[in-house]
Amino acid sequence: GQSLEQPSEVTAVEGAIVQINCTYQTSGFYGLSWYQQHDGGAPTFLSYNALDGLEETGRFSSFLSRSDSYGYLLLQELQMKDSASYFCASNSGYALNFGKGTSLLVTP
Amino acid sequence: DGGITQSPKYLFRKEGQNVTLSCEQNLNHDAMYWYRQDPGQGLRLIYYSQIVNDFQKGDIAEGYSVSREKKESFPLTVTSAQKNPTAFYLCASSPRRQGSTPGEKLFFGSGTQLSVL
């Protein structure tokens, strides 16, 4: 089976840094992805980690530790537009299995 | 512009009725997927297809059916056997590149909100 755990809600101040954690239990694991979804919109791809370590893409970074079955998404210099839901997803080799999502609220 | 088109944006189903959700992509992607999203539940996999004329059940396939007769199209039928169809349905696709797996990066359509009358 597949299960991914992430916090349901996170609140942070504009300009700050926030980390969203994700732990997973999967049978068959190729990598961990992160997606952003604004209310009523489609999920959009943020990052993918196949190997241990940190991947940086602009203000967003993602980390994976296969030995700990753990990853996180790091958002820096938070902006109001970053208020959205963030999903971690494990790649089983044929499809993605998603966590329930973390709702991020950025306040002034 | 390349992308994934889902239609309609809103759909209403009557009791005992089958309805079909359309998903078309012009990204030349081999793999296509259907996910269901309920509030607070994340995305759950209904069906997926890695190649034309082949598809596999996901975690919650009961009450749904699909076809993959063309590379560009992957329609989803919500049958009357699906007793709780109200949800946001998302179609996605991904390329199959040598040395990578299909699930590395998904491109999503804008979704169809299905409600029961």
Side-chain angles (χ1 to χ4, degrees):
Chain A
Q2 320 276 346
S3 72
L4 296 98
E5 296 291 331
Q6 53 182 126
S8 58
E9 295 180 348
V10 173
T11 300
V13 178
E14 191 175 16
I17 299 173
V18 71
Q19 178 173 313
I20 300 174
N21 298 321
C22 175
T23 58
Y24 61 87
Q25 290 183 325
T26 66
S27 54
F29 178 81
Y30 287 80
L32 193 69
S33 298
W34 289 91
Y35 286 78
Q36 179 192 62
Q37 185 182 33
H38 287 96
D39 278 348
T44 55
F45 173 85
L46 292 177
S47 68
Y48 178 74
N49 294 68
L51 304 174
D52 285 2
L54 191 68
E55 294 279 344
E56 298 181 71
T57 309
R59 293 187 298 114
F60 294 178
S61 302
S62 59
F63 173 82
L64 176 66
S65 169
R66 283 174 166 264
S67 59
D68 296 322
S69 298
Y70 164 75
Y72 66 72
L73 179 70
L74 191 72
L75 296 84
Q76 303 182 66
E77 302 173 15
L78 281 173
Q79 302 175 9
M80 299 298 290
K81 68 178 182 179
D82 296 330
S83 291
S85 292
Y86 293 83
F87 295 88
C88 60
S90 63
N91 179 8
S92 59
Y94 61 88
L96 286 185
N97 298 286
F98 286 80
K100 293 186 177 182
T102 298
S103 178
L104 171 63
L105 176 63
V106 181
T107 61
Chain B
D1 289 337
I4 300 178
T5 302
Q6 289 189 241
S7 62
K9 189 169 179 63
Y10 300 96
L11 186 60
F12 297 91
R13 194 191 89 167
K14 297 180 181 178
E15 285 289 330
Q17 186 182 43
N18 293 352
V19 292
T20 297
L21 285 62
S22 170
C23 178
E24 303 279 333
Q25 55 100 358
N26 60 4
L27 299 168
N28 199 34
H29 288 171
D30 287 295
M32 296 188 74
Y33 313 83
W34 275 105
Y35 286 90
R36 168 178 172 146
Q37 187 173 30
D38 296 278
Q41 292 291 324
L43 283 72
R44 292 184 290 170
L45 182 65
I46 305 173
Y47 268 99
Y48 64 99
S49 168
Q50 295 200 17
I51 198 167
V52 175
N53 292 322
D54 184 61
F55 49 83
Q56 305 296 329
K57 293 181 179 180
D59 300 319
I60 56 165
E62 185 174 352
Y64 301 96
S65 65
V66 294
S67 63
R68 187 85 187 277
E69 298 176 0
K70 299 186 299 182
K71 186 176 185 178
E72 301 79 17
S73 179
F74 192 40
L76 174 74
T77 296
V78 184
T79 74
S80 57
Q82 172 51 244
K83 298 306 179 186
N84 184 23
T86 297
F88 189 50
Y89 290 86
L90 286 158
C91 178
S93 70
S94 70
R96 281 172 62 94
R97 290 187 297 268
Q98 191 171 10
S100 69
T101 58
E104 285 187 16
K105 182 176 181 179
L106 266 57
F107 296 77
F108 283 88
S110 57
T112 294
Q113 176 64 49
L114 175 62
S115 302
V116 177
L117 289 176

